[in-house]
Amino acid sequence: MPTNPTTTGSLLTALCPALRTALTRVDYTADGLVDALGPDVHAALGRSEPVPVRRAARDAGELGTLIRLLLLGDPLPEPHVAAALAPVRIVDAVAAGLLVRNGEGVSAALDLRPLDAGHGNRWILSDLDDSMRRRTLTEEHVLGVGHASLSLLRATPTDPVGTVLDLGTGCGVQAVHAAAYADTITATDVNPRALWLAEATAALNELEIELLEGSWFEPVAGRRFDQIVANPPFVVGPARIEHTYRDSGLALDGASELVIGQAAELLAPGGTAAMLAAWVHVDGQDWRQRVSSWLPAHGVDAWVVQRDVADPGLYVGTWLRDAGLDPRDPAAQERATRWLDAFDAADVVGIGFGFVYLRRIDGPTELLAEDLTHGFDDPLGTEVGDYFARSAWLRAVAADENLAWRSRFAPSQATALERVYLPGEDGWAEQVARLHRGDGPRWQHEVDESTVALVAGMRADGLPLYELIELLALADGAEQVTPEFAARALGVVAGLVRHGLIRPV
């Protein structure tokens, strides 16, 4: 591992054109790996099981050599590596910090892996982790493409924009992803080693990315962006920095508070932010109120999606293993004790984790914070733009209810009515009726028979909403629509619109 990224950075960047030629020549790409290994062995690679991968790689020629070298961390004879990496010279790769000599052979000093996040193959450079070989991670360790990075990739909207800020870029994976839909990308990090690797990653992919060193938003103070993406060091715990990629130096969820609270100031009008974040669940306090208190009072439409809640013991054990520590070791146990003591002192009963989306608006801040803990397949990023469009329509309705009453609605194509029956004394007895959205986040709303009838009457060429609820009122035996009935109906419609189960047409 190079000890001075500043002096080796230009060498690694300079190596990238020849390295790109080598990787392309042997098809060291996301698709090439699947073709060479087969889907089952490729899945084993994702599970950090080296033996099946090593066996398959031995029959994959020069591509197999790079798989063993760069993904498994195997030391290999120098002539084999030289042939696979040609036209890269081994002496240049060692000087640049990509390889290290190991006796008579060479080993990888960096992780270099292909990735296809939906816009074609990219290569990502990062530090070696302990997925295939036991390692202790240093404070300046630069994380590669982990589960959090991949989840943010899938959760980030990719509509074309002008400018993107990647806050805390790390190895640069979010910035590289943004290059597929943004005109210009700016990436920041406090860790010089991260910027060194992000610079090389950009060069390897023939991308232009502005890289700035500094803490949090300081390097871009006063600037505005159409989109901000952030995978900040959001790990919740005591105020300390053991690993810069995950520890902020701020106590508990202070990192999430800082990023969520300040991101909107750097958004252009109509700009959006997509961020990973974590927040503590404090005994006797609603987590939604906690996150709400971080937002400015004006100018933000916020959608906070909680994907999981971990108990403190599970949370601490997970992050100890993430750092390559064995929770059974005495030193790790001492660290866990201090960590859990800090949680106890703050009355922390759980740690929530999820996505935070912001849009810059002209008006009072609005927040919807909700749980989305069930499984779904579609990328959440494609939902974000639609959510904010629906939210804007609902704000317009709040200002003028007549907009809703005059509108026609239709169920979304993926909306289905589900009825659940259980055995009863007289046969099947209905227990619940739900409107279920079959795409995107797969929202479900329990509904009564009035709502079922209301939605059944909705169609693009049908009646406006107010005429539909007049028919409902008549069917219920009422002579006219009362204000209470209208308010309830509008509340139901607003909830269904917000989750995309019905839409105004």
Side-chain angles (χ1 to χ4, degrees):
M1 177 182 297
T3 57
N4 191 342
T6 301
T7 59
T8 59
S10 59
L11 295 177
L12 185 60
T13 299
L15 191 73
C16 285
L19 181 57
R20 179 183 177 91
T21 297
L23 301 177
T24 303
R25 177 177 57 81
V26 302
D27 198 20
Y28 186 75
T29 63
D31 289 342
L33 257 61
V34 176
D35 291 342
L37 300 176
D40 294 337
V41 175
H42 190 266
L45 177 66
R47 297 193 302 269
S48 301
E49 298 173 6
V51 173
V53 179
R54 187 174 294 116
R55 291 166 63 89
R58 287 171 179 158
D59 298 324
E62 291 179 347
L63 173 57
T65 298
L66 294 191
I67 290 171
R68 294 185 61 197
L69 176 76
L70 300 172
L71 298 181
L72 302 186
D74 289 353
L76 297 174
E78 184 169 330
H80 295 178
V81 176
L85 280 179
V88 175
R89 298 193 310 161
I90 297 299
V91 64
D92 294 333
V94 171
L98 176 65
L99 302 179
V100 61
R101 283 196 164 88
N102 188 341
E104 296 182 359
V106 292
S107 300
L110 295 173
D111 185 292
L112 197 174
R113 64 184 59 225
L115 172 72
D116 187 347
H119 300 283
N121 184 77
R122 306 291 194 186
W123 293 285
I124 308 298
L125 281 157
S126 65
D127 278 327
L128 297 168
D129 60 22
D130 71 338
S131 61
M132 291 298 178
R133 294 179 181 273
R134 297 296 295 175
R135 307 176 195 275
T136 299
L137 308 187
T138 65
E139 180 179 329
E140 302 305 314
H141 178 84
V142 179
L143 196 68
V145 184
H147 293 299
S149 297
L150 290 173
S151 67
L152 183 57
L153 289 178
R154 288 174 52 84
T156 298
T158 57
D159 298 323
V161 295
T163 55
V164 167
L165 169 65
D166 177 14
L167 178 73
T169 190
C171 66
V173 60
Q174 306 300 331
V176 166
H177 180 243
Y181 60 87
D183 295 332
T184 61
I185 303 113
T186 298
T188 69
D189 208 288
V190 71
N191 183 0
R193 183 172 179 79
L195 294 174
W196 166 57
L197 288 168
E199 179 186 30
T201 291
L204 188 56
N205 292 285
E206 298 182 322
L207 300 173
E208 297 232 352
I209 297 174
E210 179 188 25
L211 295 165
L212 301 175
E213 182 179 347
S215 177
W216 302 111
F217 295 107
E218 291 174 6
V220 290
R223 295 173 60 177
R224 298 291 181 270
F225 299 89
D226 298 316
Q227 186 182 81
I228 296 173
V229 294
N231 181 8
F234 57 77
V235 173
V236 174
R240 47 83 176 111
I241 299 179
E242 295 175 355
H243 302 286
T244 55
Y245 73 86
R246 71 174 201 188
D247 302 324
S248 66
L250 302 174
L252 297 179
D253 47 15
S256 295
E257 178 181 3
L258 186 154
V259 174
I260 293 171
Q262 297 184 17
E265 297 177 8
L266 281 80
L267 287 175
T272 60
M275 304 176 290
L276 288 175
W279 39 83
V280 295
H281 286 229
V282 176
D283 191 21
Q285 182 186 80
D286 189 332
W287 70 271
R288 298 169 182 83
Q289 293 178 344
R290 184 178 188 87
V291 175
S292 176
S293 70
W294 300 343
L295 293 167
H298 187 89
V300 179
D301 187 2
W303 183 31
V304 180
V305 180
Q306 181 167 261
R307 288 292 289 143
D308 193 19
V309 182
D311 72 82
L314 173 62
Y315 187 83
V316 169
T318 298
W319 284 107
L320 287 175
R321 293 183 181 89
D322 175 82
L325 301 176
D326 187 338
R328 297 168 296 184
D329 290 343
Q333 292 184 46
E334 181 181 352
R335 191 171 299 179
T337 298
R338 293 197 303 268
W339 205 331
L340 291 171
D341 285 345
F343 283 159
D344 286 344
D347 295 327
V348 174
V349 295
I351 300 91
F353 167 84
F355 304 106
V356 175
Y357 298 103
L358 308 178
R359 169 158 286 182
R360 189 64 185 253
I361 62 173
D362 183 15
T365 288
E366 297 185 3
L367 167 68
L368 174 64
E370 55 188 344
D371 288 296
L372 181 55
T373 55
H374 59 263
F376 59 93
D377 298 323
D378 295 339
L380 194 59
T382 57
E383 181 75 8
V384 177
D386 292 340
Y387 169 82
F388 281 125
R390 298 191 298 261
S391 182
W393 188 85
L394 290 171
R395 281 197 300 278
V397 168
D400 180 9
E401 287 187 3
N402 286 326
L403 173 63
W405 298 133
R406 295 193 302 265
S407 294
R408 292 171 173 81
F409 295 82
S412 299
Q413 289 186 341
T415 297
L417 174 63
E418 175 187 21
R419 295 184 184 272
V420 178
Y421 294 81
L422 293 176
E425 293 182 0
D426 299 319
W428 294 105
E430 183 176 332
Q431 301 298 306
V432 66
R434 300 188 188 97
L435 287 176
H436 178 207
R437 184 176 157 188
D439 63 357
R442 297 184 178 273
W443 294 114
Q444 296 184 22
H445 282 221
E446 293 189 11
V447 291
D448 58 18
E449 290 305 316
S450 293
T451 303
V452 171
L454 178 63
V455 175
M458 292 179 174
R459 52 185 57 88
D461 58 352
L463 297 174
L465 178 61
Y466 198 83
E467 293 184 31
L468 282 178
I469 68 167
E470 283 182 322
L471 291 177
L472 270 180
L474 289 173
D476 287 344
E479 295 183 358
Q480 61 181 3
V481 176
T482 64
E484 294 78 14
F485 186 87
R488 286 196 302 272
L490 187 57
V492 168
V493 167
L496 296 177
V497 168
R498 189 174 295 278
H499 280 157
L501 289 154
I502 63 174
R503 66 185 193 281
V505 294

